[in-house]
Amino acid sequence: MKIKELSLDERPREKMLEKGAEVLSNAELLAIMLRTGTGGMNAVDTARELLAGCGNRINEIADMSVERLCRVRGIGPGKAVCIAAAFELGRRCAEEAARKECRKISSPRAAAQLLVPHMRDLDHEECWVLYLNRANYLIGKERITTGSGEATLIDVRTIVRKALEKKASGIILAHNHPSGNAMPGKADMEETGRLKKALQTCDIGLTDHIVIATGSYYSFADEELSSI
């Protein structure tokens, strides 16, 4: 059935105009980006098929590349680009809001808010660093390394060099656990201690090490571990 053959209350665009975006289902919101269907399916049907292929998890769609989106029936390059662009805007909006609220990193939660949009739903590990001045204001943020689904390298030399270049007084190290378990392992603790010693030789503090997982995070500082 074509979209125009649906009742007015079932047409996503008209429904959004009348009642607001918040009442639309995930499939209806995606259908608005898709605009049209194909092969006997309308845009809502296509959106439902896309969601079903991802276990109805929006976060999985957000992480799909344009190439992968194009493998879904009814989605070509134009529609795939629109979906990818919408999710990228969402990520940037979340990051901008977090940065505005957390310009001064006064707690592990504030640091996690800046990093979660980048790291929460990755299928591989990454290492990121927040650079702070003496008043704990953010002066820089960047990804240092990208690893596998089970590990990533904490590049101590690169982190120390970049902290010196930015004239940072302190840093917050962060990496993610794709497994969903935020608890640090033995290797995480050992690497944290090694980085802390290297930074101390340059009079730079390791303020925290945050491990991010889906829906949670672990802060070394909160747990008062000796490696911080």
Side-chain angles (χ1 to χ4, degrees), residues 16-187:
M16 182 171 170
L17 286 170
E18 182 181 348
K19 300 180 179 179
E22 64 275 4
V23 305
L24 270 65
S25 68
N26 290 338
E28 289 170 328
L29 289 169
L30 284 168
I32 290 175
M33 289 187 283
L34 292 171
R35 300 188 65 183
T36 62
T38 187
M41 297 193 305
N42 61 39
V44 177
D45 293 332
T46 302
R48 286 173 179 157
E49 185 163 303
L50 171 60
L51 281 163
C54 294
N56 290 310
R57 291 185 290 271
I58 284 291
N59 286 330
E60 287 201 15
I61 299 176
D63 290 334
M64 291 174 70
S65 65
V66 170
E67 291 75 18
R68 187 178 168 197
L69 284 166
C70 287
R71 296 182 198 138
V72 178
R73 183 174 56 151
I75 298 181
K79 293 177 180 178
V81 165
C82 285
I83 293 172
F87 280 113
E88 179 60 26
L89 280 171
R91 273 189 288 265
R92 294 183 187 188
C93 182
E95 180 183 351
E96 186 176 294
R99 187 183 298 116
K100 182 178 179 181
E101 294 174 3
C102 305
R103 188 65 182 177
K104 183 172 183 177
I105 309 301
S106 56
S107 68
R109 182 175 179 273
Q113 283 181 321
L114 279 173
L115 294 159
V116 162
H118 297 284
M119 307 174 73
R120 178 179 54 199
D121 298 305
L122 297 174
D123 60 1
H124 59 276
E125 288 198 11
E126 293 186 354
C127 173
W128 285 68
V129 171
L130 302 181
Y131 302 95
L132 311 174
N133 67 13
R134 291 193 181 278
N136 279 346
Y137 277 81
L138 183 69
I139 58 175
K141 176 188 68 175
E142 64 181 326
R143 178 175 56 200
I144 300 297
T145 55
T146 298
S148 67
E150 298 180 353
T152 189
L153 172 69
I154 295 177
D155 190 337
V156 173
R157 288 187 178 181
T158 297
I159 293 172
V160 173
R161 175 174 57 80
K162 288 179 174 289
L164 289 169
E165 289 173 355
K166 297 177 186 297
K167 296 180 174 58
S169 295
I171 73 161
I172 294 175
L173 176 70
H175 79 284
N176 63 303
H177 282 175
S179 66
N181 181 4
M183 289 295 294
K186 181 181 178 181

Side-chain angles (χ1 to χ4, degrees), residues 192-203:
T192 303
R194 191 162 68 92
L195 176 60
K196 180 181 179 180
K197 290 179 181 178
L199 289 166
Q200 283 176 336
T201 63
C202 301
D203 196 27

